[in-house]
Amino acid sequence: MRVAARLSFVILGWLVPALAAASEERSSALHFGDVLDSVRAHDPRIREAVERVRKAEAQTTAARGAFDPKLEGAGKLTTGSYYDLRSADVELRQPTTVWGSELYVGYRVGLGVNERWPTYRDDQTLSGGEVRAGIEVPVWRGGLIDPDRAKRERALRNEEAADQGLSVTRLDLELAAARAYWVWVASGRNQGVARELLELAEQRDAQLRRRLAAGSIPAFDVLDNERILLERQAFLVSAERAFQQASFDLSLFFRDSQGKPIVAKEDFVPGRVEVSEVDGLEVDQVIEEVLACHPEVERARAELAAAEVDQSLTRNELAPEIDLFFEYSRDLGERTGTDLDFTLPGNVFEAGVRLSMPLLMRPERGRAGAARAVVAERQAKLELVSDKLRARALDAASAVEAAHARAKLSAEVVETAAELADGERRRFEVGSSNLIFVNLREQQAAMAQMRYVEAVSLAEIERTRWETTTRVDCRAQAR
């Protein structure tokens, strides 16, 4: 145990200066607004959420790339047989989001090596080559939705979910920072109260020893005060440890301009804390807005929408593949005088249909069943998120009112307990009281101060919880 204790003191002795060295000196009290500004500017969890948004944006850009125009070309020389051919072909295709259709234009030229002879090949053209244009339209499968459009729509929904996730992260960090800050404030004030309590016992010890030397009190009173002194010393050690722990927890939210954690000192603790007033809580109206456009709800809806895209795609894949196509082409240039030339000039129109359909479709049916399950899962999640938000808003409103009432009552107890402790000490000085009652009154006064600070801290935490739960802007969501 002694080795472990020494090791812990060594670690703390190294850790505190190391973190404090990364801090920036302050000459004033640390307020929650300072911590919140630090969180917004330097917290790595916000940077992590921002990078998730950038990743989603990049994936959306990649998904949109499926609809970029494509240029393809090829050239070849066919020789070694009786009829030779030189040919080249270039085509520009443009996929569209209109019913999965795809437009294309192209140009090709195919001429024999010896232009006096026909090649009797399908890709022969007149001397000026052939121009063509066409459209391909999926009638059933791939009409309402296809993999490329599904990927783009899913990427958009995931981008929206990531953006809402960033807002959720900011709200969660604000509440977590409030908890860490007010626990730190309460532990810092409690440490001061414990130190004042110990100082009273030390002052009384000197007075009692003078009385003992004068023979006016028995040695028993001095011994009893020594016990009180030791108890208050132990109480101070516990309070100091609680403040150290709270300072370390706060350093995760309070950082310098380089983003390094700052271990806040006792000098940073505000000298006076008061509960902030809260305007009327219109719970019913606020809950409607929260359920309509809170970031957690919006994120869950975006995730559900992404799953519904997959469901639509897999349902469409169960349909037969029926594609219509239409093409117009025309050869250009002079005739070579061969018999084949008479089949090339003029406008050529070509229309047709293609059909393809797997018979068992087990992969498609399996993917469709999995997609339906994911949609049902996301719907249940959205319902749970809404229920939790409703319960959280109701509980936060109730907690704010109760915490404010407790803080006001605790403030009155502090004044009463302090007056009783002062009066008991004066009675003790004139011999009308004893050490037991003095100690009891001082402990009651100290506990009253601690409970008041804890009540104020809890009231501020609950106020922040109410604000982060109900801070929504439905007009911004509508835009």
Side-chain angles (χ1 to χ4, degrees), residues 447-465:
M447 291 301 104
Q449 293 184 53
M450 292 181 176
R451 291 193 185 100
Y452 169 70
V453 175
E454 291 173 358
V456 172
S457 300
L458 180 60
E460 291 300 312
I461 292 173
E462 295 300 347
R463 182 177 61 83
T464 304
R465 184 161 72 102

Side-chain angles (χ1 to χ4, degrees), residues 96-349:
T96 74
T97 59
V98 180
W99 202 259
S101 59
E102 186 172 12
L103 304 173
Y104 64 90
V105 294
Y107 172 80
R108 69 184 181 91
V109 59
L111 301 174
V113 175
N114 186 343
E115 297 184 0
R116 294 177 304 170
W117 303 100
T119 67
Y120 297 103
R121 295 182 183 276
D122 292 339
D123 46 3
Q124 181 177 353
T125 65
L126 294 184
S127 60
E130 177 197 81
V131 294
R132 67 183 183 275
I135 181 173
E136 296 177 354
V137 182
V139 177
W140 201 334
R141 181 191 297 186
L144 288 172
I145 190 170
D146 57 48
D148 289 337
R149 281 181 287 164
K151 184 178 181 181
R152 186 193 66 163
E153 187 66 21
R154 186 168 51 247
L156 288 171
R157 301 287 78 79
N158 290 335
E159 181 181 343
E160 181 182 353
D163 188 57
Q164 297 298 333
L166 174 59
S167 299
V168 171
T169 298
R170 286 172 174 156
L171 293 175
D172 289 345
L173 282 177
E174 181 176 344
L175 179 56
R179 286 177 174 146
Y181 172 78
W182 287 107
V183 168
W184 172 78
V185 169
S187 61
R189 295 297 302 273
N190 290 347
Q191 181 179 240
V193 171
R195 189 174 294 113
E196 293 173 359
L197 198 61
L198 177 60
E199 291 174 355
L200 289 174
E202 290 173 344
Q203 294 172 4
R204 189 177 302 111
D205 182 71
Q207 296 173 355
L208 292 175
R209 292 186 183 279
R210 287 195 297 268
R211 291 186 182 183
L212 178 62
S216 59
I217 61 171
F220 179 82
D221 289 344
V222 176
L223 182 62
D224 192 20
N225 193 70
E226 288 180 356
R227 175 192 61 81
I228 295 173
L229 193 62
L230 292 173
E231 288 180 349
R232 295 184 180 183
Q233 287 175 344
F235 184 60
L236 177 59
V237 171
S238 177
E240 289 174 342
R241 169 59 191 134
F243 179 72
Q244 286 182 345
Q245 183 179 8
S247 298
F248 294 146
D249 291 341
L250 182 62
S251 68
L252 297 177
F253 303 93
F254 183 46
R255 299 169 181 268
D256 63 14
S257 58
Q258 302 300 319
K260 302 298 182 181
I262 299 176
V263 178
K265 304 175 182 178
E266 186 179 2
D267 297 340
F268 296 175
V269 177
R272 181 178 177 82
V273 292
E274 294 180 349
V275 63
S276 303
E277 293 296 330
V278 178
D279 297 333
L281 306 178
E282 299 178 0
V283 180
D284 294 336
Q285 178 182 352
V286 169
I287 286 180
E288 292 182 4
E289 295 180 355
V290 168
L291 298 182
C293 50
H294 191 277
E296 289 188 26
V297 174
E298 292 294 330
R299 180 175 62 180
R301 286 173 181 158
E303 292 173 349
L304 173 60
E308 289 174 341
V309 170
D310 288 334
Q311 183 183 40
S312 299
L313 177 63
T314 55
R315 186 188 297 119
N316 186 258
E317 288 177 345
L318 294 173
E321 184 177 354
I322 303 176
D323 297 338
L324 298 179
F325 64 89
F326 174 82
E327 181 179 289
Y328 163 79
S329 62
R330 180 182 179 87
D331 272 65
L332 308 173
E334 300 296 330
R335 300 181 185 181
T336 62
T338 67
D339 294 338
L340 187 62
D341 286 350
F342 292 100
T343 66
L344 297 178
N347 298 321
V348 178
F349 300 92

